Each structure stands twice: as structure tokens, then as C-alpha cells.
Amino acid sequence: MYALDDLLHLMARLRDPQAGCPWDLKQTYASIVPHTLEEAYEVADAIERGDFEQLPGELGDLLFQVVYYSQLAREEGRFEFASVVDGITRKLLRRHPHVFPTGDLYAAAEVAALDEAQIKRRWEAIKAEERAERATVPEQLSLLDDVPAVLPALSRAVKLQKRAAQVGFDWSDPLPVLDKVREELDEVLQAISEDDPQAVAEELGDLLFAATNLARHLKVDPETALRAANAKFERRFRFIEQALRETRRPIEDCSLDELDALWGEAKRQEKDSPFSA
């Protein structure tokens, strides 16, 4: 079987100025980013579908993205793949003192006397120390530093909320959050009644942020929940299309009431299915 060194060699060959691949030679850090995001979502998709035969291939595609960035950096004299491996290893050693108390990767294992909550608090404390070390203006250091702006909006909202919760800026249970969702919904309705598009957009954003906060308090990942809702919508809409295809009736000719009735049928069939969860 090929090994990691073979993949690194392959990447260098693809970027060879004389004999490399013309497409690969044109790529930059920025041009690869969309592919990296796509590959990460394909990994998530394979896991959600339980497709473990496909997962190694998807993980390989994602690994190749890391190798690609490392090759670009190597050509520019910035860093190499070995630096990436060294950096993540050192970071994980530093963030797991309950497993590696001496910081030695190969030291004998010790039994951790910490529960999961204590481990999480120590992890966050160590991350806070790292942020402080990286801060160029210490007096402007924020808990919200290093939450990537390019994260999907729902995921970023959860991260921002979790960071604020670390210092007690949070509700203690889901019920007040549910009240906040209702409040934000009322404000959306008010903006609609005032026919103010800018206010509608702003209030909808607040409503989504509050709904994300509710999901977090209920220990539901909003990205996963929305992906499941997307899949459900797609499944039911395809049912409508197929039902109309069987009657040779164009979907454009149907009234909303007719389409809604088929939607209800799709829901009933899913509920009656022995495979429904």
C-alpha cells in the first residue's frame, strides 16, 4: 500500500514546473479553499449516511487538501507538511495535560483523575492562554478571538454563544431562550407590518440567532438539524414530483392546495413506514 510519503511525492510531482499538471500548477491557496470546504462536507455526508465504505476515500480527499496547502507553502519557503504534523502534535500534547502530564508523547500513561466537565474547563483555559499569547494588543483581547469568520453562520453562532457562556453570559435553561425566540418572532412580524425590508432582514437574523441558541441549550447541533430538515424537504418534494409524474400531470399546473395534499401524503407514508425513526 502507498504511504504518506508517497502522497507527498505525488503532490510535488503534480506541481513540478516542467512536468507537472497544468491545472495543479495554476492553483493558489485561495483557489483551493472551495474544494477544501466541499471535501469536508463530503466527509460529514458519508458519516451521516453511515457509508463507511466511502469514508476512507472522502477522508483521503480531505487529507489531500492539507498536503496541497503544505506543498504551496513549501514552494514559497513558508513551512512544510512536517511542520503541520509537528504543530498539531504539540498543540494536542499541551491541551491534554491530564493524559500527558510531562508533555512527553511516549511517557507511560497515567490515570486521569478528572471528569469530563473538568477536562473541558482545562481545555478552554489552555485555549485562552494560547489566545493571550497570540494577541498583538493584549488589552484588546476578547473571548471571541479566533472564532473564524468564514464558518457557516449557524456553526459560528454556536461558537460565539459558547464562548460568551464561559463567563456566565448565558441563560441557565432552555425556557427563557424559548421566550427570546418568541420575542424575536414578534419583532419580525412588527418589521413586516411596517414594510421595512432592512428591519425584516435584521430581525430575521436575530430570530435565527435565537433559534440557534435554543438548539444549543437543547444540545442539538443546528447545522445537523438543518441538514436533516433539508433532506426531509427534498425527500417529500421528490415524492410530490413522482406522484405527479405517474399521473402525467405537470407540477406547474397544480394548485398549492393540491401540492399541499400530496405533501401531507408524503408525511403520512413516512410516518407509516417501518423504517421511519
Side-chain angles (χ1 to χ4, degrees):
M1 296 179 68
Y2 288 114
L4 183 56
D5 284 345
D6 298 310
L7 181 59
L8 294 170
H9 177 70
L10 180 150
M11 183 71 255
R13 288 283 302 274
L14 291 176
R15 292 277 301 178
D16 183 272
Q18 280 75 45
C21 169
W23 185 89
D24 287 288
L25 287 168
K26 291 193 303 183
Q27 302 312 305
T28 65
Y29 297 102
S31 70
I32 299 170
V33 167
H35 300 284
T36 307
L37 296 173
E38 181 180 341
E39 299 302 350
Y41 279 115
E42 289 183 1
V43 168
D45 180 63
I47 292 172
E48 285 187 358
R49 290 184 289 104
D51 190 349
F52 294 103
E53 290 186 4
Q54 190 73 16
L55 185 57
E58 301 298 353
L59 288 170
D61 292 341
L62 187 57
L63 172 62
F64 184 65
Q65 304 301 304
V66 181
V67 169
Y68 214 131
Y69 291 119
S70 300
Q71 175 63 27
L72 294 176
R74 179 174 179 270
E75 293 168 8
E76 298 173 357
R78 298 178 184 273
F79 59 83
E80 300 197 15
F81 183 79
S83 303
V84 177
V85 175
D86 180 72
I88 186 59
T89 303
R90 291 179 185 277
K91 179 190 292 186
L92 293 174
L93 282 170
R94 185 170 62 250
R95 292 186 180 180
H96 291 82
H98 51 290
V99 179
F100 308 102
T102 66
D104 183 349
L105 177 60
Y106 295 102
E110 297 189 12
V111 177
L114 301 175
D115 61 28
E116 186 175 346
Q118 291 172 312
I119 291 170
K120 181 176 175 58
R121 284 195 294 270
R122 290 186 66 173
W123 175 278
E124 294 298 341
I126 293 168
K127 286 177 65 177
E129 291 172 4
E130 293 171 358
R131 288 196 297 273
E133 291 171 1
R134 293 196 301 268
T136 54
V137 185
E139 59 271 21
Q140 295 180 9
L141 182 66
S142 170
L143 270 174
L144 308 182
D145 288 344
D146 77 0
V147 178
V150 297
L151 279 175
L154 290 178
S155 295
R156 190 165 194 268
V158 171
K159 279 189 171 291
L160 292 172
Q161 292 162 4
K162 283 182 176 179
R163 288 286 178 86
Q166 290 175 24
V167 292
F169 191 66
D170 196 12
W171 281 284
S172 58
D173 64 76
L175 290 180
V177 190
L178 189 57
D179 290 337
K180 185 64 175 175
V181 172
R182 293 192 181 103
E183 176 189 324
E184 297 297 351
L185 180 57
D186 288 340
E187 292 181 3
V188 171
L189 294 171
Q190 178 65 29
I192 292 172
S193 70
E194 295 172 356
D195 194 22
D196 186 342
Q198 184 174 346
V200 168
E202 181 178 342
E203 298 301 345
L204 276 171
D206 292 344
L207 176 59
L208 289 170
F209 192 85
T212 300
N213 209 359
L214 179 61
R216 179 176 64 87
H217 275 269
L218 295 173
K219 304 188 185 312
V220 173
D221 175 59
E223 285 282 343
T224 301
L226 185 55
R227 280 199 297 272
N230 288 342
K232 180 166 59 178
F233 177 87
E234 181 178 6
R235 188 170 61 247
R236 292 176 180 175
F237 191 81
R238 288 179 182 274
F239 173 90
I240 293 173
E241 291 179 311
Q242 181 59 30
L244 292 172
R245 194 174 293 120
E246 291 173 358
T247 61
R248 300 182 181 276
R249 188 171 181 198
I251 192 170
E252 297 85 357
D253 293 347
C254 297
S255 67
L256 181 56
D257 287 341
E258 290 173 310
L259 296 176
D260 193 52
L262 286 170
W263 179 272
E265 179 60 26
K267 289 177 64 175
R268 282 190 294 274
Q269 289 201 15
E270 285 186 358
K271 185 178 180 180
D272 295 340
S273 171
F275 302 105
S276 61

